[in-house]
Amino acid sequence: MAILARGGCRCDSNPVRFEYNKEPAEVHFCLCTDCTDTCGGALALISVVERSAFTITAGEDKIRNIDTKPTCHRRYCAECGCHMFLYVDAFPDHLLIHIPTIDRDTDVGGKPDRWVFVNSKHPMVTIPDDGLPRHAGWAGSGDPVQAA
């Protein structure tokens, strides 16, 4: 099967590398405090990929885990500290990839189609009027919110 996207950590030598060969189940903007605090940004861009479509192709021995919540298992490079992807217990067949770790010349397989955890956003963040649905938690876990 053809590779859809490739990515990895920031190491110059022996970087962690990964790829996936199936379009993501979804791509979204995440404003949860777990993602934003971990990546140090105002929001996270996430590609949700089936585990069976994901492969680590290099540097696997450098990958470490940190559980930022009892149900959230984040993988990062032990050398450069780059946080690349995570597993969430509620989604056992998928993993969530931080899109900035995907090679810039790669099509990730979709565009963000929703905002999630908008009630957790930092007060200095203004969500643009882009017409995308906004959800207080995970999309589908409740009614969309009208304002964020």
Side-chain angles (χ1 to χ4, degrees):
M1 200 172 215
I3 301 306
L4 180 65
R6 288 185 173 93
C9 74
R10 299 179 50 86
C11 288
D12 289 329
S13 65
N14 188 33
V16 174
R17 297 294 296 162
F18 62 79
E19 59 190 32
Y20 57 89
N21 61 16
K22 188 174 182 183
E23 289 201 14
E26 68 179 68
V27 176
H28 61 255
F29 295 108
C30 184
L31 296 164
C32 81
T33 56
D34 200 46
C35 278
T36 57
D37 290 356
T38 301
C39 65
L43 62 89
L45 282 164
I46 302 291
S47 177
V48 180
V49 176
E50 287 182 27
R51 284 189 189 203
S52 63
F54 179 83
T55 305
I56 297 167
T57 59
E60 186 167 8
D61 59 320
K62 294 170 55 171
I63 297 174
R64 300 295 182 271
N65 178 72
I66 184 167
D67 293 340
T68 51
K69 292 185 175 184
T71 60
C72 188
H73 319 287
R74 296 179 178 273
R75 301 302 200 266
Y76 66 95
C77 174
E79 288 185 24
C80 71
C82 181
H83 172 235
M84 298 167 285
F85 55 94
L86 61 143
Y87 299 95
V88 178
D89 291 351
F91 307 104
D93 298 328
H94 293 82
L95 64 117
L96 288 68
I97 300 172
H98 278 264
I99 289 176
T101 65
I102 296 173
D103 296 348
R104 297 295 198 266
D105 61 351
T106 298
D107 177 3
V108 302
K111 294 188 182 301
D113 65 357
R114 70 197 78 177
W115 291 83
V116 298
F117 293 100
V118 298
N119 291 354
S120 299
K121 76 174 185 63
H122 191 279
M124 292 182 73
V125 172
T126 301
I127 299 173
D129 185 13
D130 56 12
L132 297 178
R134 300 172 184 190
H135 299 271
W138 281 105
S141 64
D143 294 328
V145 294
Q146 297 302 316

